[in-house]
Structure formats: structure tokens, C-alpha cells
Amino acid sequence: MTLAGKTAIITGSNSGIGLGVAEELARAGADVVLNSFTDRAEDHALAADLGKRHGVKARYIKADMSRGDECRALIAAAGTCDILVNNAGIQHVEPIETFPPEKWDQIIAINMTSAFHTIAAALPGMRARKWGRVVNIASAHGLRASPFKSAYVAAKHGLVGLTKTAGLETAGQGITCNAICPGYVLTPLVEAQIPDQMKVHNMDRETVIREVMLDRQPSRQFATVEQIGGTVVWLCSASADQVTATTISVDGGWTAQ
Ligand code: NAD
């Protein structure tokens, strides 16, 4: 399948799932725009390397997804947006009573509201070209809750709701909007939680991964960034033309329970 001639913007894509999605889209022939809130030489080097390896145009554009104006400016700066992957996200784990209100606001802004702004900015171009794909990277936490992740669970549930609404508003127009709901994927976001869990539970790394982290994931295996990227590429294919306003779980069975 080739996505040659299509331009994909992936928010929060200088590491983890976003970078993996960019890799798979570039492998499928799409030009890609990488993004995060930093503007370091290594961010631009990531894009240059990706473009060179896959023979596609690849750029890095700095924009802070916690700010609505920068979300919209990212879409404008890219020029064209055929494929929009809303992936930027952060986490904070704390009981509601002590959860810092500014963390709540930041998580809601980055993990949910940013997608409202990027979708709003991208839809007119998609409608004009009669083709578009919006893929929101939600989470199993867009469908199920866990304690101490109030803002994340609220934002991801909200992102799933936005996905359904955007899917309905674009139905029949050559545009689809879906959410991928990954279970645990071993990325820097998850890797950073392992040492703390080892201390709290007095367990070694492998036991923490198997017994604590993957406790709710029946496959007891992490999903990979390649699998999430492959799911995005499939959503961009003609086979998925009638797949819209829905969620696709890549979670080893988590949400069947
Ligand atoms: P990650 O920390 O590797 O990636 C997060 C990305 O978001 C990074 O590129 C970071 O620079 C970017 N980002 C953070 N704040 C930003 C901001 N203000 N503006 C722009 N970019 C910003 O983590 P990840 O695991 O790859 O997470 C990517 C997405 O996948 C998130 O939305 C996360 O909630 C979701 N997710 C992850 C898992 C998992 O197990 N790793 C599971 C389900 C869903």
C-alpha cells in the first residue's frame, strides 16, 4: 500500500509511539511532519534521518500542544494535512485530593483539547481534497479507568468522545476519524515508571513488568510502537474507508474484561 503524495502530521512524535507511527507512515510512502514542544538539533535530525531512510519529505515543526494557538499554527505551518495523528500526551499519577490542579489542566490540554484544535484546523483542507484521516491515540484508559489517573482517564475518555463526534461530522465526505486505544506499550513514558514500581513493590524489573504493569493485559506482552504504527497505516488504507467514529483496541485483551 502506498501513501505517496499524502502528508501526515503526527503530534508529539520525537519519541515513543508518535515516532513509531511516523516511521510506519514514512515506510508506507507518506511525507511526514514530526512535532514536539522542543526545538533541538536532535529533533530536526530525527526528521532528516527518517526522510533519508524512506525517501520521503520529513520535517520537524516545534509547537506546544498545551496551547490552542500553537496547535492550529502547526497545521498551518505544515501547509497540507491529509493524515492527522493526535498522539501528544503526558501522564501524572496521584490521588484526586492531592492531584495538582495545574497538572490536571496540562493533561486535559495536551491529551484532549489539542486534538480539538488540530482537527478544527485540518478539516477544511481535508474537505477540499475530499480525503482525510484523523487518528487519535487514546488509550485503554479511554475505555476503562484506573485509580490515581483521574486527569489522564478523563482526557482519554474525552478524546474518544471527540473522535466519535468528528467521525459523525465528516461521515460520507472521504474523511474518517478513529481512536486507537493501546494497552501498555514499552516507551519512555512507561519505562520511566519501572524503577519506582520496583522500589514500591520490592520486585525485580521482569516481575514488575509481568505482575504489576501487565497485570490487566491478558497477553502479558507489551504492544509495540510498530503495531500501533501499522494500525494507523491500515486506517489510512482503502480497506478502512468505512471504519469511522470508532475505537480500535491494541491491548492484548485488556478491555474485554
Ligand atoms: P512518550 O513520552 O514517549 O511520548 C510523548 C510525546 O508527546 C513525546 O514526543 C513528547 O515530546 C510529546 N509531548 C509532550 N508534551 C507535549 C507538548 N506540550 N506539545 C507537544 N508534544 C508534547 O510517550 P508514549 O508512550 O509514546 O505516548 C504517546 C501517546 O500514546 C500518549 O498520548 C499516551 O497517552 C498514549 N498511550 C501510551 C501508552 C503506553 O503504554 N506507552 C498506552 C496508551 C496510550
Side-chain angles (χ1 to χ4, degrees):
M1 201 205 51
T2 179
L3 293 174
K6 304 289 189 203
T7 299
I9 303 176
I10 307 101
T11 71
S13 47
N14 65 354
S15 86
I17 292 174
L19 186 56
V21 168
E23 183 83 35
E24 296 311 311
L25 285 169
R27 195 191 308 285
D31 294 330
V32 291
V33 174
L34 303 188
N35 153 265
S36 186
F37 60 92
T38 50
D39 201 8
R40 306 164 302 183
E42 63 234 59
D43 296 323
H44 294 272
L46 268 181
D49 171 62
L50 203 88
K52 203 165 147 203
R53 281 188 291 107
H54 296 293
V56 298
K57 282 187 218 139
R59 284 174 290 163
Y60 176 88
I61 301 177
K62 169 194 182 271
D64 183 346
M65 293 298 106
S66 70
R67 299 187 40 165
D69 56 344
E70 294 200 21
C71 295
R72 290 172 189 255
L74 167 66
I75 306 300
T80 305
C81 179
D82 301 300
I83 300 164
L84 170 63
V85 183
N86 288 304
N87 169 78
I90 57 167
Q91 175 65 285
H92 184 79
V93 182
E94 195 165 336
I96 292 172
E97 315 87 281
T98 53
F99 205 97
E102 57 281 9
K103 266 286 168 217
W104 169 277
D105 288 344
Q106 203 188 7
I107 291 175
I108 297 294
I110 297 172
N111 296 20
M112 183 182 74
T113 310
S114 66
F116 158 69
H117 291 293
T118 56
I119 292 170
L123 280 187
M126 291 180 176
R127 283 209 174 94
R129 291 184 294 277
K130 298 184 169 47
W131 195 92
R133 290 290 186 265
V134 178
V135 184
N136 297 324
I137 306 299
S139 167
H141 282 117
L143 305 167
R144 297 287 187 277
S146 294
F148 315 128
K149 295 185 176 178
S150 55
Y152 188 85
V153 170
K156 295 296 188 180
H157 274 67
L159 186 59
V160 167
L162 173 65
T163 302
K164 293 178 185 173
T165 305
L168 292 180
E169 289 188 20
T170 54
Q173 299 165 30
I175 301 167
T176 68
C177 180
N178 294 289
I180 296 177
C181 295
Y184 271 111
V185 184
L186 193 55
T187 63
L189 183 141
V190 170
E191 186 68 52
Q193 301 172 28
I194 296 177
D196 287 345
Q197 297 276 21
M198 287 168 64
K199 259 188 248 151
V200 172
H201 296 281
N202 193 24
M203 289 174 175
D204 64 21
R205 182 184 159 85
E206 274 59 44
T207 313
V208 158
I209 288 174
R210 198 179 56 248
E211 304 297 333
V212 181
M213 306 200 100
L214 297 179
D215 179 44
R216 298 173 75 183
Q217 197 146 309
S219 66
R220 291 285 201 272
Q221 290 161 350
F222 285 110
T224 66
V225 300
E226 290 80 7
Q227 290 160 357
I228 308 300
T231 307
V232 174
V233 170
W234 172 72
L235 281 169
C236 294
S237 74
S239 313
D241 275 355
Q242 291 303 316
V243 179
T244 196
T246 194
T247 58
I248 297 170
S249 291
V250 184
D251 67 1
W254 177 338
T255 49
Q257 301 166 103

